[in-house]
Amino acid sequence: MSDIISTQATVTRVTGDIAVPALKITDLHCSYAGVEILTGLDLSLAQNEILCLLGPSGCGKTTTLKLIAGLLTPSQGDIEVSGKLVDSDKLNLAPELRNVGMIFQDYALFPHLTVTANVLFGIRKLAKAEQVKTVDYVLDLVNLTEFADRFPHQLSGGQQQRVAIARALASSPALLLLDEPFSNIDSQVRHHLIEEMRELLKSHNMSAIFVTHSKEEAFAFADRLAVFNQGRIEQIGTPTELYNQPASRFVADFLGLVNYVDGIVIDSHHVETELGLITSSKAIEYAVGSSLQLALRPQHLLLQMSDQGKGVITQQQFLGMNCQCSIKVAGRDTMLTVLIPQPMQIGQAVNITVVSHELVLFSE
Amino acid sequence: MNHKLALPWHFSCWFIAFALALPVIALGVEALNPDIAIFQQLYDTVLMDYTRNTLLLTILVAIISCVLALPAAWIIAMCEFPGRKHFQWALMLPMAMPAYIVAYIYTDMFDYAGPVQIALRGWFGWQSVSDYWFFDIRTIPGAATVLSLVLFPYLYLLTRTSFLEQSTSLIQASRVLGHSPWASFWRVSLPLARPAIAVGLSLIAMETVADFATVNYFAVNTLTTAVYDTWIGYGNLSAAAKISVMTLFVILLFVGLERFARRKQQMFQKNMLPEQEIRYPLSGFAKYAAMAWCWLLICAGFLIPFLVLLNYAWNYFAESWTEEFFQYSQNSLVLALVVAGLAVTFAVLLGLYRRLVATKQASIPARISSMGYALPGTVLAIGIIIPLSAADFMINDLTELLWQWTPGLVLSGTVFALIFAYLIRFSAIAVGSVESSIDKISPSLDLVSRTLGHQPNSMIRKVHIPLIRKGVLAGFLLVFIESMKELPTALLLRPFNYETLATYVYQFASDEMLEHAALAAIVIVLVGLIPLIFLNRSLEQQH
């Protein structure tokens, strides 16, 4: 028992000064083949925090990850890992000297090495006894002890991923980088794996940065989200903050379905729209009389059957747990998307009411 | 789907396979011949030395090829430096150089009477051999060096491709896990390239064992020269067959090694995402060292010999530009065209047979027809002489009996023997080329054609043949080129008074008068350059 605890101490990073951020990026620029991929990125990650970089492909999130690992060279800007400067105007520390772990999209397991040898690859400088202990510990952690002598091609996708995790954890990095780690996993087991991995990282006090283009993965895995758009961060915050209070239409659209409705501010808590008067649970920051766009998530709209209703159900899609339907509202060009618990009749006229909540308003 | 084919098709496919396998069968049967007097005598005196020479030569060639090719493959695949793109294909140029021509030119250059030693004697004031040490090129290490200079591109090509196919994320993972670029090379890149290196080395080994001209020129006795001498010198077919079978065992060893290496290759290339290439930029000393290494290989393996040939041709133009030169060029050309045409015809026949008759046995004729490539030219020649001369005797006996007239050696003594031998040796190339383009045709096209009302024959004409035209053309060209260059088979099987370009050049080289056949040698080199252009184009498309 004491053995395991002492091994755990070598794997679990002793989190020193909690005030020192696990990662600090200042004004980072990067260009590849003459194209600016990152344009002045600032980012900070607290100890033990999991941050997700979310965005469409080609937005620079994987580039950011590779810059942190030292696999690419920035054209400008500073990077600090756990208080140690690794990139600046004068410095570009080699990847092998940065003490970061990385999990690649294809896992990058060495096909010519067994599971054990793959894990040993990063800790060859430890004492022999220490190596054995660490391998035993991390393989036990990811439940692969009985596969220790297999080669990567003899493992399933999920098992390969767990080897990659074990290998990265073995060298107890100051920071773990994950590049789309779930994209090659079957959607049926993905959710379970995300939960498991989050548990693992949290129980070992790992600071991690995780890249994905899937909002579901991001919501389930991250403490904080940074939404990327064309080489810069559009907004950063907790998943609920970003979902409920998006700072731009890009973020609002990227994180889920949105209905946009024109409206005019009546007073500090009310907006007049084509759907009627809508109440905000929080004071509106815009001046009375401003003409704005109101972003409404499908779940903020409620339907009631009514022959005099302004809306008509024109299409619906049964999703299992609920049903998504499109409503044609008289005088509106675009359909409204609404989630309802049970399917209704196509052609049914409905009344639409908006649940009172903290309204999200954009000035065009 | 199994398509019903006409019976003649089945029959002709199996007949081709049998005919192409005949020499190996004949060798086996003849080797069992109990007449072992000559063989016993050879065995007691020189045969063990020859075997040792063969193995020693092969090992030396393998080592030198590794030293030459591996650094070149790695810097071309993984580093960025001026001229990399040009070096990438230029490093394959030595493949076009026949080894015996390189051997001749370097012997001329480094001999006691050659320009290098004369210059050294002039500079240092040495008077005679006893005043200084200079390496002797006419030795096993000398032959190994010359062979390596023209064979290393096989290894270079395969290893470079293997380095390029390695997922960049593996190298990146190794870096992140605390390894420098150098350590990553030793612990990741090189182990992953091991199957490719093994395949390259076994190809080189097979070529080395098969080489006749270079070792004969250097008077290094190997198993191949033993086969030649036993037949030409002693006229003893059975002893030659026995030595041939011994040689075949050595070859089989390398074929087995190659198969074994390829088996592993599969797993090493699976599940990797294609990624952008990232190369280490070289600067300063490393940059110049990389360029110098590439230049060294290209100069030693191609440029210097080729320039010397051009110089010969210029100085001895009148002696080279002869009627024989045209006569023999024409011989080679006609021979190569006939062989290439027949080889692709057989390849198409066998390939479509395998495709349309979707049973396991149906691929056997194509496999058998591909075996000949592993036979060294001299061994193959012995294997051909055995059944053809037997057939000739039978024909002559028969005509004698019937009409009291004998036609002579109509099979073994004519160009027929040469064509037959070349077909056996080069059918593999045509079969490989045609088969790979047949395999690219989606099987659903067959189903669609049949459901749209086409009989197998009409489907072949309207769908398959148009789609495999490129593969057929490539196969034709490659067989053509190999037939133009082939030497040892031609030396043993050519009819009386018949010369090909290769035998013509070789005669002059062994008579120390290569200058007089320089034009013919240049033609052979230029023909050898053609496949490199194709190879380069297909590589450019990949990367």
Side-chain angles (χ1 to χ4, degrees):
Chain A
M1 188 63 199
S2 67
D3 240 25
I4 292 176
I5 291 169
S6 77
T7 319
Q8 182 157 10
T10 67
V11 174
T12 311
R13 208 169 24 84
V14 182
T15 36
D17 190 353
I18 203 83
V20 175
L23 175 74
K24 190 159 178 287
I25 294 178
T26 322
D27 192 29
L28 192 66
H29 289 256
C30 178
S31 33
Y32 184 80
V35 182
E36 279 252 282
I37 296 169
L38 292 184
T39 52
L41 184 79
D42 292 298
L43 192 67
S44 173
L45 180 74
Q47 297 286 354
N48 313 342
E49 189 185 22
I50 300 176
L51 172 73
C52 173
L53 310 183
L54 180 67
S57 52
C59 68
K61 48 196 193 327
T62 298
T63 305
T64 309
L65 219 57
K66 289 191 170 168
L67 284 166
I68 299 168
L71 299 170
L72 291 175
T73 311
S75 41
Q76 191 190 323
D78 295 352
I79 301 177
E80 274 178 40
V81 175
S82 262
K84 187 173 99 174
L85 193 64
V86 295
D87 264 311
S88 72
D89 291 348
K90 296 177 197 73
L91 179 74
N92 173 226
L93 205 61
E96 60 266 28
L97 305 173
R98 293 188 178 212
N99 193 26
V100 296
M102 188 156 176
I103 293 172
F104 291 80
Q105 192 173 0
D106 59 0
Y107 314 137
L109 299 180
F110 301 114
H112 59 303
L113 301 178
T114 61
V115 168
T116 303
N118 261 287
V119 175
L120 280 172
F121 196 89
I123 52 171
R124 61 186 172 143
K125 284 183 181 136
L126 293 182
K128 202 90 216 152
E130 201 68 10
Q131 290 185 6
V132 174
K133 259 200 245 170
T134 311
V135 169
D136 288 348
Y137 176 69
V138 292
L139 287 185
D140 183 50
L141 208 59
V142 296
N143 288 325
L144 284 176
T145 308
E146 56 190 308
F147 298 99
D149 297 325
R150 296 250 186 122
F151 283 92
H153 72 276
Q154 296 168 315
L155 301 177
S156 72
Q159 288 168 332
Q160 290 183 3
Q161 189 200 37
R162 273 144 60 196
V163 177
I165 295 166
R167 186 176 70 178
L169 286 180
S171 47
S172 46
L175 173 66
L176 192 61
L177 307 171
L178 302 100
D179 186 5
E180 307 233 2
F182 305 111
S183 64
N184 291 336
I185 303 279
D186 226 324
S187 62
Q188 281 163 359
V189 289
R190 191 181 297 165
H191 195 73
H192 178 66
L193 267 174
I194 291 176
E195 216 166 274
E196 249 183 27
M197 195 184 314
R198 186 177 156 83
E199 185 83 357
L200 194 68
L201 298 186
K202 282 295 169 191
S203 66
H204 286 76
N205 297 328
M206 289 296 310
S207 315
I209 295 195
F210 155 78
V211 158
T212 185
H213 59 259
S214 146
K215 55 180 187 291
E216 288 81 13
E217 282 175 23
F219 288 152
F221 198 68
D223 296 329
R224 273 200 305 155
L225 281 184
V227 175
F228 267 63
N229 186 21
Q230 296 179 343
R232 43 182 208 88
I233 291 176
E234 191 90 14
Q235 192 180 0
I236 186 162
T238 65
T240 42
E241 270 169 28
L242 261 61
Y243 186 79
N244 292 325
Q245 292 297 311
S248 64
R249 287 184 66 149
F250 178 83
V251 175
D253 289 334
F254 197 81
L255 295 182
L257 284 168
V258 195
N259 297 295
Y260 290 100
V261 177
D262 293 329
I264 294 168
V265 181
I266 301 296
D267 60 37
S268 68
H269 282 84
H270 292 94
V271 179
E272 181 64 50
T273 70
E274 55 208 9
L275 301 177
L277 194 66
I278 296 173
T279 309
S280 177
S281 60
K282 199 183 159 214
I284 295 166
E285 287 170 2
Y286 293 94
V288 172
S290 323
S291 175
L292 298 165
Q293 281 221 310
L294 178 59
L296 294 169
R297 297 285 183 200
Q299 61 269 38
H300 290 138
L301 299 172
L302 293 180
L303 300 186
Q304 285 162 325
M305 282 195 269
S306 157
D307 292 341
Q308 284 80 47
K310 285 163 89 179
V312 176
I313 298 180
T314 54
Q315 264 177 35
Q316 63 182 354
Q317 197 180 5
F318 181 59
L319 300 174
M321 278 168 69
N322 48 31
C323 186
Q324 176 182 321
C325 54
S326 305
I327 317 283
K328 170 77 185 155
V329 177
R332 242 183 91 87
D333 295 337
T334 46
M335 302 273 181
L336 285 178
T337 307
V338 183
L339 289 177
I340 52 175
Q342 285 297 322
M344 291 167 119
Q345 202 72 42
I346 299 272
Q348 170 75 49
V350 286
N351 256 334
I352 304 156
T353 47
V354 177
V355 182
S356 165
H357 65 286
E358 199 175 317
L359 296 185
V360 177
L361 294 158
F362 298 121
S363 50
E364 293 316 312
Chain B
M1 167 166 190
N2 197 338
H3 308 264
K4 277 221 159 69
L5 289 179
L7 204 59
W9 197 324
H10 289 270
F11 177 74
S12 50
C13 282
W14 285 97
F15 178 75
I16 292 170
F18 172 74
L20 296 187
L22 199 56
V24 181
I25 301 170
L27 275 180
V29 172
E30 186 64 36
L32 293 175
N33 187 321
D35 167 24
I36 61 162
I38 297 274
F39 182 77
Q40 186 68 45
Q41 188 195 332
L42 285 169
Y43 184 85
D44 291 341
T45 51
V46 291
L47 207 50
M48 281 302 111
D49 283 344
Y50 290 4
T51 313
R52 213 185 43 233
N53 283 351
T54 301
L55 291 176
L56 186 64
L57 183 75
T58 311
I59 292 167
L60 278 179
V61 171
I63 293 172
I64 300 172
S65 297
C66 278
V67 172
L68 298 180
L70 294 186
W74 190 76
I75 54 180
I76 294 281
M78 305 292 282
C79 302
E80 191 57 66
F81 59 99
R84 187 189 65 82
K85 283 220 150 127
H86 299 289
F87 286 129
Q88 174 172 304
W89 59 265
L91 280 167
M92 294 184 296
L93 289 175
M95 276 169 119
M97 270 286 161
Y100 60 92
I101 292 180
V102 177
Y104 180 93
I105 286 167
Y106 283 137
T107 308
D108 211 36
M109 210 176 274
F110 293 112
D111 249 1
Y112 184 77
V116 173
Q117 291 205 43
I118 290 176
L120 286 174
R121 284 196 296 272
W123 284 336
F124 296 103
W126 295 321
Q127 297 301 318
S128 69
V129 197
S130 55
D131 289 348
Y132 63 101
W133 178 87
F134 199 82
F135 66 86
D136 182 7
I137 196 168
R138 287 174 180 266
T139 54
I140 292 180
T145 309
V146 165
L147 283 168
S148 304
L149 279 178
V150 298
L151 292 178
F152 84 85
Y154 285 106
L155 186 60
Y156 155 76
L157 195 61
L158 286 163
T159 321
R160 190 200 65 166
T161 312
S162 156
F163 284 145
L164 283 176
E165 279 172 356
Q166 290 171 9
S167 161
T168 28
S169 64
L170 286 179
I171 304 297
Q172 293 180 336
S174 151
R175 298 292 307 279
V176 172
L177 289 166
H179 289 64
S180 64
W182 185 238
S184 303
F185 168 73
W186 282 106
R187 296 200 60 197
V188 180
S189 301
L190 201 60
L192 286 177
R194 217 163 35 197
I197 294 173
V199 173
L201 282 181
S202 47
L203 281 178
I204 288 177
M206 279 159 67
E207 292 282 341
T208 306
V209 174
D211 175 78
F212 166 76
T214 313
V215 287
N216 196 40
Y217 180 75
F218 278 167
V220 171
N221 289 310
T222 63
L223 287 174
T224 2
T225 59
V227 171
Y228 183 85
D229 293 340
T230 316
W231 171 233
I232 297 288
Y234 295 87
N236 188 313
L237 205 51
S238 127
K242 288 185 177 69
I243 303 172
S244 296
V245 171
M246 280 177 69
T247 318
L248 275 187
F249 276 118
V250 178
I251 293 278
L252 274 180
L253 188 79
F254 296 121
V255 174
L257 184 71
E258 196 243 42
R259 284 285 141 87
F260 183 74
R262 269 187 207 273
R263 183 184 59 86
K264 274 187 158 176
Q265 198 167 30
Q266 282 263 306
M267 89 180 204
F268 281 5
Q269 290 171 346
K270 233 166 41 182
N271 288 334
M272 294 295 169
L273 299 172
E275 282 183 59
Q276 66 196 50
E277 294 168 33
I278 300 169
R279 295 198 169 87
Y280 301 115
L282 295 185
S283 58
F285 174 75
K287 180 173 78 178
Y288 292 110
M291 291 164 72
W293 188 248
C294 294
W295 271 119
L296 176 79
L297 297 189
I298 296 164
C299 286
F302 183 80
L303 270 188
I304 293 174
F306 193 64
L307 289 177
V308 171
L309 277 185
L310 286 180
N311 184 41
Y312 287 164
W314 180 259
N315 290 334
Y316 294 85
F317 187 77
E319 288 87 342
S320 288
W321 189 262
T322 56
E323 202 157 303
E324 284 92 359
F325 170 55
F326 288 104
Q327 176 60 45
Y328 302 151
S329 297
Q330 197 192 330
N331 282 352
S332 280
L333 192 72
V334 172
L335 183 64
L337 284 176
V338 170
V339 170
L342 285 173
V344 292
T345 310
F346 291 170
V348 170
L349 214 58
L350 297 174
L352 288 176
Y353 179 71
R354 193 188 67 128
R355 165 92 176 198
L356 298 183
V357 184
T359 60
K360 265 207 171 125
Q361 297 91 310
S363 64
I364 295 174
R367 292 286 71 76
I368 292 177
S369 315
S370 306
M371 288 188 328
Y373 197 64
L375 294 176
T378 42
V379 171
L380 170 63
I382 300 299
I384 297 254
I385 290 169
I386 298 167
L388 288 195
S389 52
D392 274 337
F393 283 126
M394 258 158 54
I395 291 170
N396 284 311
D397 285 349
L398 196 68
T399 53
E400 173 89 73
L401 194 74
L402 293 177
W403 305 296
Q404 284 79 45
W405 164 82
T406 55
L409 302 175
V410 282
L411 298 178
S412 61
T414 62
V415 186
F416 176 83
L418 264 187
I419 293 175
F420 188 35
Y422 281 21
L423 273 178
I424 292 169
R425 194 145 155 68
F426 304 128
S427 278
I429 304 173
V431 167
S433 177
V434 170
E435 230 170 44
S436 74
S437 60
I438 287 180
D439 288 346
K440 280 190 200 123
I441 303 174
S442 158
S444 49
L445 284 188
D446 292 16
L447 302 180
V448 158
S449 334
R450 296 302 298 274
T451 53
L452 290 176
H454 285 266
Q455 299 281 318
N457 283 337
S458 137
M459 167 175 80
I460 288 165
R461 263 201 327 276
K462 295 237 162 84
V463 180
H464 291 158
I465 301 283
L467 285 173
I468 60 171
R469 233 175 2 212
K470 262 193 183 162
V472 170
L473 196 69
F476 181 89
L477 198 70
L478 287 173
V479 175
F480 174 81
I481 291 154
E482 288 288 333
S483 308
M484 289 287 283
K485 289 168 67 183
E486 173 63 25
L487 175 69
T489 324
L491 276 180
L492 279 170
L493 290 180
R494 72 203 151 105
F496 188 65
N497 265 343
Y498 180 93
E499 297 271 1
T500 67
L501 271 187
T503 59
Y504 174 66
V505 171
Y506 181 72
Q507 301 292 0
F508 275 97
S510 4
D511 296 343
E512 303 293 342
M513 295 198 303
L514 182 62
E515 295 85 347
H516 294 236
L519 276 181
I522 288 173
V523 170
I524 293 176
V525 173
L526 291 183
V527 167
L529 285 177
I530 298 171
L532 298 188
I533 297 168
F534 275 82
L535 196 60
N536 186 47
R537 194 187 292 166
S538 82
L539 286 172
E540 291 275 294
Q541 279 167 1
Q542 278 170 29
H543 304 288

